[in-house]
Structure formats: structure tokens, C-alpha cells
Amino acid sequence: MEYESDYNLLKEKIDACITEGSVQNAKNIFDSYHSVDIDEVLEDLDSADLQYFLFMLDPEEIANLIENAEEELQVMMAGFYSTKELIDIFSYMTNADVADLLGLLPTIKRKDILNYMKKSESNILKMILSYDDDSAAGIMTTEFISLKQSLTVREALLKIKEIAPTTEIIESIFITDNLHRLQGIVDLREILVAPGFKPLADLVETHPFFVYADQDQEEASNLIYKYDLKYLPVVNKNEAILGVITSDDIIDVMEEEHNEDILAIGGVSKDEEFDSNFFHSVKSRLPWLVINLFTAFMASAVVSMFEDTISQVVALAAAMPIVTGMGGNAGNQALSIVLTSLARDEISLEEDLPLVLKEIGLGIFDGAVIGFFAGVVLYLKYQNVYLGLIIFAAMILNMVIAGIVGFLLPLLFDKLKIDPAISSPIFLTTFTDVCGFFIFLGLASTLLPKLL
Amino acid sequence: MEYESDYNLLKEKIDACITEGSVQNAKNIFDSYHSVDIDEVLEDLDSADLQYFLFMLDPEEIANLIENAEEELQVMMAGFYSTKELIDIFSYMTNADVADLLGLLPTIKRKDILNYMKKSESNILKMILSYDDDSAAGIMTTEFISLKQSLTVREALLKIKEIAPTTEIIESIFITDNLHRLQGIVDLREILVAPGFKPLADLVETHPFFVYADQDQEEASNLIYKYDLKYLPVVNKNEAILGVITSDDIIDVMEEEHNEDILAIGGVSKDEEFDSNFFHSVKSRLPWLVINLFTAFMASAVVSMFEDTISQVVALAAAMPIVTGMGGNAGNQALSIVLTSLARDEISLEEDLPLVLKEIGLGIFDGAVIGFFAGVVLYLKYQNVYLGLIIFAAMILNMVIAGIVGFLLPLLFDKLKIDPAISSPIFLTTFTDVCGFFIFLGLASTLLPKLL
């Protein structure tokens, strides 16, 4: 990679530029660094320095910085400008980005901006803002070319040349009927090589995929991933085309959803970053730990029930975490397989229920292998064959339970529209701990005379 | 979504089509279903039926099915055709897809195909095949338009019309010098509206990002994600452009890497699917369980050291899993934050080491809160204030260790080029279990007289 950005060096340059107040230096920085990297430095400036630095840039450069900034920085930057200045800056941004920013501003400011805008602009923005942030409409681009199917190639080319400078998608033209309903797509290269008199209708390729504007962005993302789509049109209730989702629009969605999954499995709220401040991290993690503490008490209460047994055969205390720990591990294996399949929309409770039999089989087989090793070790250590047999049996039973719960729980949560990545791990551990202790210590109590 | 595919209905149609041998029905199926869905049914056909169904399709349709099939099905399909037929089918596929398939075929067959191809085709394929599957070259497209900067707009338009039908990327033209080194990019729409006599050199926008062909696909994917790039050129050692990675090329890479992470955290090998067969799943999961069994024994051995103490105060057996369990939870929180940041290349051992202090602080704070609750409950249950104090202190200490290990371990593995998602969880649990038991039971042994 030729382009390289060093935070400290860039920070020095920006600091120097602010101290000297040199517009030329500001332009140079902008020419040599990507705005993503400039934003990283700007995040750490105080408000006065930030405003002074931005003061040296033109609206297009400011638009660039705003588009790539984190939400907090975006709002701060927007705060420096009057309604009129903001509308000027917005003219260099995509509608999707403008709508995102407007959604972050105070209602009064947002209304003021929309009132001052050209009607044609504000109508599109109001339409986008009327949908949920996480909806298909929230990530679509509205800068695409749509043409009526009755146009000829020559007429189409003239229109395309006119619209081209302000459009984001140029390589495909979306063809509609008079009610703006999508009839299909024409590839720009087809138009380039076709004779001028041909009607567009002759070149149209049908495109059976679309999503409604209020569908979840994850559904749109899954469709694009599964069918390797270049474009996914977004339509309103009357099936008129409102926008288009492209494969680069879903990259952020995918990254977001995946990170949410990993963080959820780890028991952290989705907005925590590695460099979040201390109190943000406490807020993100402590509630989850408190919930976990309750389940830990449940497991502990099960052990308490058998204190009498343990006091007579204290080896049980050393052996019991093996049963619960291994159950947790086996359950997490089943869980992680189901979670990745759910994320790709490949598995469902109705269709794949019979696969739980495989999990039961795996629990028996893996449990028997692991239980056999554990049993042999315990037998050798304590010279009691019953202790070995008990851990063997408990291991199989607990791993079967772990497999069933690890497999069914996320499917059940998904069916109930509860995020399976957030809810499954904690319940799974509760099951494997409570059942593991109960089965192992219960068997030991029953066979207590043999263990003494 | 208008398009909808039902597996069972489609299977019936395909079965009927095979029974009747109706070419017209085969075409109809192809017109109404996406090849991704047809492939899902074809996977479950036996070889003879599959071959018979494919026999009714033309090379373009077969190419379509091969492109979207899983590797196993791809190889099976390719096996039905002679070298000459395959080359015909390949003409409807992208070079990247052909190279992927060739990589799966036996060496003799591959060489034979490359020998029979046009030199211009086989040279590109050989170049792609010379790089690793997981490299930038492995996912790039070679169907892009590159033009010399000395051409005029008029000359460029003629060339573009000529190349357009066979290219994948049309909306941007890559401009090179005489040694094929990238000079920048020109937007097709700029060419469409510029006067014909203008040289392309006047329209070029610099594009400072590129990757070398042998760089890892994940690095390419991270660059495109971070800088929101539409294209990432891929160059050889002499910086001549070989191909271009687009945002839709990295969708599969992102999906793959993320699934690998989730499966690794769960302790499952990356090629297991929810519908893998029994023995595949055993092979994927059992080795990991065996490794976990060893660490479970280590933790168990620590408990054994204190059997004497436990036999005198059996309440310790019920309380100790709370300390280890909560330590594991806290450690996983730190781990999941670091893993997501590592996946985005945002964190490193050198630059972010000081953040371990925050983790220590969190361990102290969260540990104190959780330890306080746990201590009060134990005190109320067993009416012994020392038991409460011991779990309070042990909880803080174990959570500090959990935070440090959960934070540093993945960074350390990453630095050593070991996959942190695979290796960290098992070591982390070992630490939190061994330390948790040792601290809690050790404190209890020291203060034993107070507990009796």
C-alpha cells in the first residue's frame, strides 16, 4: 500500500497548521490524507481548535470530513454552522449521509434546515427520515438513474449525461413504468453500444429482487449476500422505487451485525469500543455481570443441596467443575454453529428441528469419550471405580443436555424475535452448570455408600 | 421481496423435469429461479440425475450454476465435461471463478485445460493461480478497463465500447503509464461529458490505495472497509496493475472471516456447518473438547490441593464456582472487545498497551460491586463475615486477572501471528479457573480458623 497515515505525524501537522493559521497547509493536509484519518485526529481536538481548523476548509472538504466522522464528531461539526452554511455543505454529501446527520440534530434545527432547502431535496430527506434507522430505507442510496421504458437509446443517453454528475450509481439504469414501478434494469454498456432509435424497453433485463423500505437492513444484507446481487431496489407500499442498496452499502451493515454478535456472545453492549472511557465500559459490562451473578448463585445453590455428600467425599468438590466446564464447552460449540447459520438465514426451528438428534448423538459420543478419560483419571487418583463411573455417566448426560440446549435455544429465541446471540449464552451456561452439578452430585449421593 | 424460492417445490419441478426429460421445463426452471436456489436442489441429486439435468441446459446456464455452487458440486459438475466443453463453459464465467475452479481440479486436467485455451486467457489464469487462495489476487477481478493516459476522450470512448461487453467494472477506467503502473482513475461519466479532444491525463484522479497481489485478502478487505473504497487495485512487485478488488468481492471475505471468529470462539473448526454429517462434526469438535479437558483437570487439581480445607468448611465448595464463573465472564467481556477491534485492525499491543490499566480499573470496580453482593449473600447464608470478606477479595483479584488476561492475550497472539479468536478463549478460561480457585481457596485456608 502506497498511502500510509501515521496518527502522531498527522496530529503534529494539524496542530502546526492551527498554530500558524495557514490555509495552504490545511489544503496540503487534505490533499495528502484521507478524511477518515484526519477525522481520527480531529476527534481529539478541543472545540475551539476544531472550529478554527474547519474554518480554513471549503464546504466540499468539510462535507468530506463530516461524512466520515463518528456521530459525536458529526454533531459537533454541524453545530459550528448556520442553516444556510449547512445546506451548502450538504450539497456535497449523499442524501443517505445527510439524512443520517439530520437524524442526529435537535428537532428544531432539523425542521429549520428542511424548511430552507429546495422542496425537491427536502422531500427526499423527509421520506428517508420517515423510516427507521435500521431499515432498508436507512441504508439505500437515492442517487440513481431511473428512466421510463418508453424512451429511446438516444433520448436515454441525453438524460444520462445530464443526471450523471449527481448520481452515485451510473453503470445500471433502473427502468420504470409511469407509476415509478420497477420494470427491470438496463446495463449502461448496453445503452452505449445499442443503436440510437431502439426503445429502452428492448434492452430491459428483469430484476425480480427488491425489498420494502421498512424491511430490516439485515434482511436486505442477507439477500445481497446470498444471491450475490449488485443492486437491491427499495420500494414503497405501492412498489414505486425509492432507492437502491448496493453491495458497498451493506459492508457496514455486515460489519455492524457481526461485531454485535461477537460482543453479545461476550456479554458486552454493542456500543462499547476498546477505547471507550471507564464509565462507558462499566455501564456496558456491569449489568451483564450482575445477571450472571444470579445464575452463578443458582448453580451454587445446587451444590449447597449436596453439602452433606461433599463433606463425606470431598473429592467430589474437585471433580464437579470438570462436568460443568465440559458441558459449557460442548454447548458453546453447538451454539456457535447455530448462530453463524442464523446470521446467514440458513437455519430455522421449523425446518431443521430434526438436526437436534445429531446434537444428541454428538453429546453421547463426545460425552462418552471425554467421560471415559475423566473417569479413568479419577479412578487412578482416588482408587474408586464408582467415582469414575459416576463422572462418565454425568459427562454424557450433561453433554447431551448441552447439545440440545445449545442447538434449540438460539433457534427458539430467533423464532421469538429475541436476539439469540445476546440471550443464548447466559441461559446455556445456567443449564450446563445447574444440570451438571445436579446430575453429578445427585448420582454421587445416590451411590454414596459405594464412594466412602 | 417478489422473488421467492421454496426448496421442496423447486425439487419437485426439477425431479419432474428429469423424469420427463423436458428441455423446455429445464429452461423454465432456469428462467424462474436463481441459480443459487437451483444449486441447493442439485446438491441433493445423485450423479446420474444431475448429469441428465445439466444435459438439458446450454453452456451459459451451466456456467451460471457452476459459479454459484459449493466446491464439491463444482468439481462434480466439471467432471461431466470434456476439456473443450469446459473451455466453452468457462467463457461465460469470470476469470476469478474459473481460476477458483481450476484450483480444485486434478493437476493433469488443469494443465490440459490451460494448454487448450487461448494464450491470452491461460496467461491470466496462470497468473491468478500462481497466488495463494487467500491472497488479494485470489479475490480480484481481472475484467476491468485500463487505458494509457495519452489517449484522448474520443479514442478512449471507442476502446471502451469495444471492451465493454466483456468487462466487469465499467464505471471507472484505470489509467496507466507505459509500464502498466497505475496513474489514477477516471470516472466513466467524466469521459461521457468531456470534449472529445481532451487527453485522459487531464481527467485523472489520483488513487493512492493499492495492495500487492500476495497480500492477505483480509488486509485488502480491511482497507476497503476502513476507507470506504469502491476499488482497490492489485499490483505485482513492479507495481503494474493485475486486477481490481471491488466492494462486492470482499463481502464473502468478511462473511468468512467473521464466521471463523464466532466458530473459533465457540471451539469449532471453521468448516463445520449446521448440517455437516455426524463424523464431520465429531472431527470438528472432539479435539477441542479434549484440549479443554486438560485445562479442566488443571483447575480440578488446584481444588484438590485444598480438599482438607473444603472438608472442614464445605460451604467453600458451593461458593467457589461463583468466583471462577464470574472471572470467566469478565474475561470474556474484555476478550470480545479486543477481538472485534483486532478484526478491524484498530488495536495493537504496542500502541494500546496502556489501556490495560483501564481493564485493571474495571476489574477492581466491577469486582468490588459483584464481590460485595456475593459477600453479603454468603454472609447471610452462612452467618460468617469472614466468608463474605474472602469472596469479596477473591472476586476483585480474579476479575483483575481476568481483565488483564482477556485484554493482553489476544493482542499477544495477534502479534505472534497466531489467530487470537482460536487460542485466546481456552487460555483465558484456564487462567480464570485456576487463579479463581487458587485465590479463593488459598484465602480460605489462610483464614481457616475464622471460618470454623
Side-chain angles (χ1 to χ4, degrees):
Chain A
M1 179 177 73
E2 194 172 55
Y3 174 79
E4 197 114 33
S5 162
D6 175 68
Y7 176 91
N8 292 320
L9 183 65
L10 180 54
K11 174 132 182 57
E12 265 173 45
K13 286 188 186 174
I14 289 177
D15 284 343
C17 167
I18 292 168
T19 316
E20 294 160 19
S22 154
V23 173
Q24 190 50 48
N25 282 359
K27 300 269 172 216
N28 286 346
I29 289 170
F30 218 87
D31 285 344
S32 1
Y33 288 91
H34 192 285
S35 45
V36 166
D37 296 312
I38 300 176
D39 278 332
E40 254 177 49
V41 174
L42 298 189
E43 264 176 37
D44 302 334
L45 292 184
D46 64 37
S47 171
D49 282 351
L50 175 61
Q51 185 165 15
Y52 190 65
F53 180 74
L54 294 180
F55 178 69
M56 295 185 272
L57 302 175
D58 61 38
E60 186 171 359
E61 291 162 337
I62 295 166
N64 223 315
L65 289 174
I66 289 181
E67 277 185 324
N68 286 299
E70 304 272 328
E71 294 188 351
E72 215 173 310
L73 184 59
Q74 284 189 320
V75 174
M76 200 170 175
M77 286 175 170
F80 298 143
Y81 302 100
S82 69
T83 297
K84 203 176 146 295
E85 288 168 325
L86 276 180
I87 291 173
D88 192 18
I89 292 169
F90 288 169
S91 68
Y92 298 98
M93 292 166 61
T94 67
N95 288 328
D97 284 333
V98 173
D100 281 345
L101 178 53
L102 287 178
L104 299 172
L105 297 181
T107 319
I108 297 176
K109 182 94 184 166
R110 178 166 64 240
K111 282 195 174 156
D112 197 42
I113 293 170
L114 288 169
N115 279 338
Y116 266 88
M117 276 182 166
K118 269 188 283 176
K119 204 93 195 143
S120 59
E121 286 291 314
S122 65
N123 280 344
I124 294 179
L125 292 170
K126 281 178 192 162
M127 181 270 288
I128 300 176
L129 284 165
S130 72
Y131 292 101
D132 200 82
D133 245 13
D134 290 339
S135 68
I139 53 168
M140 72 185 179
T141 170
T142 54
E143 286 92 352
F144 64 99
I145 304 179
S146 85
L147 297 176
K148 300 266 154 63
Q149 56 187 344
S150 50
L151 293 184
T152 64
V153 164
R154 196 187 321 275
E155 291 166 329
L157 264 175
L158 284 174
K159 286 247 183 204
I160 291 168
K161 282 195 187 184
E162 187 186 307
I163 309 172
T166 62
T167 191
E168 208 181 311
I169 304 169
I170 173 92
E171 60 277 21
S172 292
I173 314 294
F174 297 80
I175 308 299
T176 63
D177 63 14
N178 288 327
L179 295 169
H180 293 287
R181 286 179 309 202
L182 187 70
Q183 299 302 301
I185 293 183
V186 176
D187 202 320
L188 176 60
R189 70 194 96 182
E190 297 281 336
I191 298 182
L192 286 181
V193 297
F197 58 85
K198 253 203 176 176
L200 287 184
D202 286 8
L203 302 174
V204 169
E205 298 238 1
T206 56
H207 186 88
F209 296 94
F210 64 81
V211 284
Y212 291 100
D214 55 2
Q215 270 182 268
D216 194 275
Q217 58 177 8
E218 208 176 345
E219 291 175 51
S221 158
N222 277 335
L223 268 181
I224 290 180
Y225 170 70
K226 178 169 183 187
Y227 294 107
D228 211 357
L229 304 177
K230 207 162 171 182
Y231 306 110
L232 183 61
V234 179
V235 302
N236 68 11
K237 274 180 223 122
N238 305 321
E239 303 200 347
I241 183 167
L242 299 178
V244 176
I245 300 176
T246 66
S247 52
D248 47 293
D249 294 326
I250 71 158
I251 286 178
D252 288 340
V253 178
M254 290 179 67
E255 185 71 20
E256 204 181 293
E257 305 281 352
H258 280 295
N259 280 336
E260 279 180 32
D261 277 355
I262 291 179
L263 295 177
I265 293 170
V268 180
S269 79
K270 64 182 180 184
D271 57 350
E272 187 179 342
E273 307 267 346
F274 73 98
D275 52 0
S276 294
N277 71 42
F278 185 80
F279 293 105
H280 187 150
S281 294
V282 168
K283 232 179 85 190
S284 149
R285 302 191 198 179
L286 192 52
W288 203 239
L289 291 174
V290 172
I291 296 172
N292 272 284
L293 182 61
F294 279 101
T295 80
F297 273 126
M298 283 176 62
S300 170
V302 173
V303 179
S304 283
M305 290 163 53
F306 298 98
E307 279 183 12
D308 201 39
T309 307
I310 294 171
S311 71
Q312 295 177 62
V313 189
V314 80
L316 296 174
M320 65 185 191
I322 300 176
V323 179
T324 53
M326 295 308 298
N329 291 326
N332 277 323
Q333 292 184 323
L335 175 64
S336 62
I337 295 275
V338 176
L339 285 180
T340 54
S341 308
L342 274 175
R344 284 178 296 192
D345 226 351
E346 289 175 348
I347 192 173
S348 73
L349 190 59
E350 294 88 350
E351 286 182 29
D352 302 295
L353 190 57
L355 283 174
V356 76
L357 294 175
K358 189 186 86 177
E359 295 298 329
I360 294 174
L362 280 170
I364 295 172
F365 187 87
D366 290 352
V369 174
I370 297 293
F372 176 77
F373 280 122
V376 169
V377 171
L378 282 197
Y379 165 69
L380 294 176
K381 188 167 170 189
Y382 296 101
Q383 293 296 324
N384 184 315
V385 71
Y386 289 98
L387 191 57
L389 286 174
I390 288 171
I391 202 167
F392 175 73
M395 194 70 84
I396 294 175
L397 274 172
N398 201 31
M399 281 213 187
V400 168
I401 291 171
I404 296 174
V405 176
F407 182 83
L408 289 185
L409 210 54
L411 292 176
L412 201 68
F413 281 126
D414 182 62
K415 175 110 192 113
L416 300 171
K417 309 262 177 224
I418 298 169
D419 185 338
I422 294 180
S423 321
S424 307
I426 179 92
F427 281 95
L428 175 63
T429 317
T430 310
F431 267 97
T432 52
D433 280 0
V434 167
C435 295
F437 285 136
F438 187 82
I439 294 166
F440 180 68
L441 296 174
L443 283 173
S445 293
T446 315
L447 295 172
L448 190 56
K450 307 279 187 189
L451 296 175
L452 293 172
Chain B
M1 181 178 71
E2 193 172 57
Y3 174 79
E4 198 116 29
S5 162
D6 175 67
Y7 176 91
N8 292 321
L9 183 64
L10 179 53
K11 174 132 182 55
E12 266 174 43
K13 287 188 186 173
I14 288 177
D15 283 343
C17 167
I18 291 167
T19 316
E20 296 160 19
S22 153
V23 173
Q24 189 49 50
N25 281 0
K27 301 269 172 217
N28 286 347
I29 289 170
F30 218 87
D31 285 344
S32 2
Y33 288 91
H34 193 285
S35 45
V36 165
D37 296 313
I38 301 176
D39 278 331
E40 254 177 51
V41 174
L42 298 190
E43 263 176 40
D44 301 335
L45 292 185
D46 63 38
S47 172
D49 281 352
L50 174 62
Q51 185 165 13
Y52 190 65
F53 180 73
L54 293 181
F55 178 68
M56 294 185 273
L57 303 175
D58 61 39
E60 184 170 0
E61 290 163 337
I62 295 166
N64 222 314
L65 290 174
I66 290 181
E67 278 184 325
N68 286 300
E70 305 273 327
E71 295 188 351
E72 215 174 310
L73 184 59
Q74 284 188 322
V75 174
M76 200 170 175
M77 287 176 170
F80 298 143
Y81 302 100
S82 69
T83 298
K84 204 178 145 291
E85 288 167 326
L86 276 180
I87 291 174
D88 191 18
I89 293 169
F90 288 170
S91 68
Y92 297 98
M93 292 166 61
T94 67
N95 288 327
D97 284 333
V98 174
D100 281 346
L101 177 53
L102 287 178
L104 298 173
L105 297 182
T107 319
I108 297 176
K109 182 95 184 163
R110 178 166 65 239
K111 282 194 176 158
D112 197 43
I113 293 171
L114 289 170
N115 279 338
Y116 267 88
M117 274 183 169
K118 268 189 283 174
K119 203 96 196 137
S120 59
E121 287 291 315
S122 66
N123 281 344
I124 294 179
L125 292 170
K126 282 179 192 163
M127 181 270 288
I128 300 176
L129 284 165
S130 72
Y131 292 100
D132 200 83
D133 245 15
D134 290 340
S135 68
I139 54 169
M140 72 186 180
T141 169
T142 53
E143 286 93 351
F144 63 99
I145 303 179
S146 85
L147 297 176
K148 299 267 155 65
Q149 55 186 342
S150 50
L151 295 184
T152 64
V153 163
R154 196 187 323 272
E155 291 166 331
L157 264 176
L158 285 174
K159 288 246 181 204
I160 290 168
K161 281 193 187 184
E162 186 187 308
I163 309 172
T166 62
T167 191
E168 208 182 313
I169 303 169
I170 174 90
E171 61 277 22
S172 292
I173 315 294
F174 296 80
I175 308 299
T176 64
D177 64 13
N178 288 327
L179 296 169
H180 293 288
R181 288 178 308 202
L182 187 69
Q183 299 302 301
I185 293 183
V186 176
D187 201 320
L188 177 60
R189 71 195 97 181
E190 297 282 336
I191 297 182
L192 286 180
V193 298
F197 58 85
K198 256 206 175 174
L200 287 184
D202 286 9
L203 303 175
V204 169
E205 297 239 1
T206 57
H207 187 86
F209 297 93
F210 63 80
V211 283
Y212 291 100
D214 55 1
Q215 271 182 268
D216 193 275
Q217 59 177 8
E218 207 176 347
E219 291 175 53
S221 157
N222 277 334
L223 269 180
I224 290 180
Y225 170 70
K226 179 169 182 188
Y227 293 108
D228 211 357
L229 303 177
K230 208 162 171 184
Y231 306 110
L232 184 60
V234 179
V235 301
N236 68 10
K237 274 180 221 123
N238 304 320
E239 304 200 347
I241 182 166
L242 299 178
V244 176
I245 300 176
T246 66
S247 51
D248 45 294
D249 294 325
I250 70 159
I251 287 178
D252 288 340
V253 178
M254 290 179 68
E255 186 70 20
E256 204 182 292
E257 305 281 351
H258 280 295
N259 280 336
E260 280 180 31
D261 277 355
I262 291 180
L263 294 177
I265 294 170
V268 181
S269 79
K270 64 183 180 184
D271 56 351
E272 186 179 341
E273 306 267 347
F274 73 97
D275 52 0
S276 294
N277 71 40
F278 185 78
F279 293 104
H280 187 151
S281 294
V282 168
K283 232 181 84 188
S284 149
R285 302 190 198 180
L286 191 52
W288 202 240
L289 291 174
V290 172
I291 296 174
N292 272 284
L293 182 61
F294 279 100
T295 80
F297 273 125
M298 284 176 61
S300 170
V302 173
V303 179
S304 285
M305 289 164 51
F306 298 98
E307 279 183 10
D308 201 40
T309 306
I310 295 171
S311 71
Q312 295 177 62
V313 188
V314 81
L316 297 175
M320 65 186 192
I322 301 177
V323 179
T324 53
M326 295 308 298
N329 290 327
N332 276 324
Q333 291 184 322
L335 175 64
S336 62
I337 294 275
V338 176
L339 285 179
T340 54
S341 308
L342 273 174
R344 284 177 298 192
D345 225 351
E346 287 175 350
I347 192 173
S348 72
L349 190 59
E350 293 89 349
E351 285 182 28
D352 301 295
L353 190 57
L355 283 174
V356 76
L357 294 175
K358 189 186 86 178
E359 294 299 329
I360 294 174
L362 280 169
I364 295 172
F365 187 88
D366 289 352
V369 174
I370 296 294
F372 177 78
F373 280 123
V376 168
V377 172
L378 282 197
Y379 166 70
L380 294 175
K381 188 167 172 192
Y382 296 101
Q383 293 295 323
N384 185 315
V385 72
Y386 288 97
L387 191 57
L389 286 175
I390 288 171
I391 203 168
F392 175 73
M395 193 70 84
I396 294 175
L397 274 172
N398 201 31
M399 282 214 185
V400 168
I401 292 170
I404 296 174
V405 175
F407 182 83
L408 289 186
L409 211 55
L411 292 176
L412 201 67
F413 281 126
D414 183 62
K415 174 113 192 111
L416 299 172
K417 309 264 178 223
I418 299 169
D419 186 338
I422 294 181
S423 320
S424 307
I426 179 93
F427 281 95
L428 176 62
T429 317
T430 311
F431 267 97
T432 52
D433 279 1
V434 167
C435 294
F437 285 135
F438 187 82
I439 294 166
F440 179 68
L441 296 175
L443 283 174
S445 294
T446 315
L447 295 172
L448 190 56
K450 306 280 188 189
L451 296 175
L452 294 172

